[in-house]
Amino acid sequence: MPTSILGEVDGLPGVAAAGACHGSALQCPSCGSSHVAQVLGDNGGISFVCTACGHSWS
């Protein structure tokens, strides 16, 4: 079993690249990493968190 979810995702057939419907991958505005998670906020809004540096934004 992989120690990271990234190992799991890389092995799945038919997984689309992040941001495929928008034409570019979502990147952290702080560090530029493409390791970004989409999260649901307390008021139902959508926010993003960089899993590389911890920066969050909406």
Side-chain angles (χ1 to χ4, degrees), residues 16-28 33-34 36 48:
C21 61
H22 296 101
S24 64
L26 185 61
Q27 292 184 326
C28 174
S33 173
S34 61
V36 174
F48 303 95

Side-chain angles (χ1 to χ4, degrees), residues 27-38 48-57:
Q27 292 184 326
C28 174
S30 181
C31 72
S33 173
S34 61
H35 295 278
V36 174
Q38 183 176 346
F48 303 95
V49 175
C50 176
T51 59
C53 74
H55 179 73
S56 62
W57 70 98

Side-chain angles (χ1 to χ4, degrees), residues 1-2 6 9-10 14 17 21-22 30 42 50:
M1 173 178 277
L6 298 175
V9 172
D10 289 340
C21 61
H22 296 101
S30 181
D42 291 339
C50 176

